[in-house]
Amino acid sequence: VAEDGEDEDAGHGDGDLGHARIVDVPDQTRRDIIVSIVPEDATEKRSQALCVPFDRVYPKMRLRSSYLTKYVGKRLLVRVIGWDDDARYPNAHVIKVLGDMGDMLTETTCILHRHGIDYCEFSQVTLAELPGASYRLENEVAAAEASPREDFRSRFVVSIDPPGCTDVDDAFHVRVLDDDVFELGIHIADVTHFLQPGTALDEEALFRSTTVYLVDRRLDMLPSRISE
């Protein structure tokens, strides 16, 4: 969109850039940002200090608080509350103290937050949709015998997951069909058997999209009751 009073065809020669103006911001979703306070900027006598974002894509921020010295050396989750017209930095306030800088758990939490990975526990609404204590695998086997699924229990099927793995969901079998012909069967656990479209469990799996493996733990896409 051309600036008011300007010719839309003007200024479009070689090397020139067009002009535009913002007419609307349809998505004003606020995203909380992880920062750390600049130590020398936080003193007992000051009520504001400069903060450096964990993700350098964001600008530095001015944090206003009566507890600045307590926040030194911490990773803070803050929210931008405004940006004065004559200010160099936006203003923010603390939402949560994540932990000490340099601590592995704290730094891991920061990385997960930066990439939008959900590291919270599953909600009670989601867990309530899991198979109950009365669930028995034998009932599933009996139902499978009457289903259109092919029965491979007569094959020698082995898992490819390493020893100690709790989510055994991949397997294969090999069968000789002829002198130089082999059948390779790939077996993947069908966890969608437990997911009904539109349920809280289905929506949670859609949001998480995948299981995330960290050095010290695993963030499951689905609760352990149906993923292990």
Side-chain angles (χ1 to χ4, degrees), residues 117 122 167 169 205 208-214 217-223 227:
I117 299 174
F122 289 95
D167 54 336
D169 52 8
R208 297 191 179 218
S209 300
T210 185
T211 295
V212 179
Y213 291 87
L214 304 176
R217 65 188 188 278
R218 187 182 75 218
L219 303 176
D220 289 325
M221 180 180 73
L222 293 166
S227 63

Side-chain angles (χ1 to χ4, degrees), residues 1-10 19-20:
V1 179
E3 292 287 359
D4 291 338
E6 292 187 355
D7 185 349
E8 293 188 5
D9 295 327
H19 294 79

Side-chain angles (χ1 to χ4, degrees), residues 21 45 56 88 128 151 188 200:
R21 66 173 179 270
K45 297 181 180 181
R56 296 304 175 91
R88 184 175 182 180
D151 189 345
I188 307 296

Side-chain angles (χ1 to χ4, degrees), residues 12 19 24 42 46 49 56 85 90 123 130 140-141 155 157 175-176 185 191-192 202 207:
H12 290 269
H19 294 79
D24 186 29
R46 303 189 66 175
R56 296 304 175 91
D85 293 339
S123 68
L130 295 173
E140 293 288 347
V141 173
R155 304 278 200 276
V157 181
R175 185 173 61 147
V176 178
V191 74
T192 60
D202 183 41
F207 176 75

Side-chain angles (χ1 to χ4, degrees), residues 129 191-197 199 201-203 205 221-222 226:
E129 295 180 351
V191 74
T192 60
H193 175 77
F194 299 98
L195 298 178
Q196 297 300 317
T199 60
L201 193 59
D202 183 41
E203 294 297 328
M221 180 180 73
L222 293 166
I226 57 175

Side-chain angles (χ1 to χ4, degrees), residues 166-188:
T166 57
D167 54 336
V168 181
D169 52 8
D170 308 300
F172 75 96
H173 79 263
V174 177
R175 185 173 61 147
V176 178
L177 299 180
D178 206 341
D179 290 339
D180 296 317
V181 181
F182 298 87
E183 175 188 86
L184 174 63
I186 307 298
H187 305 264
I188 307 296

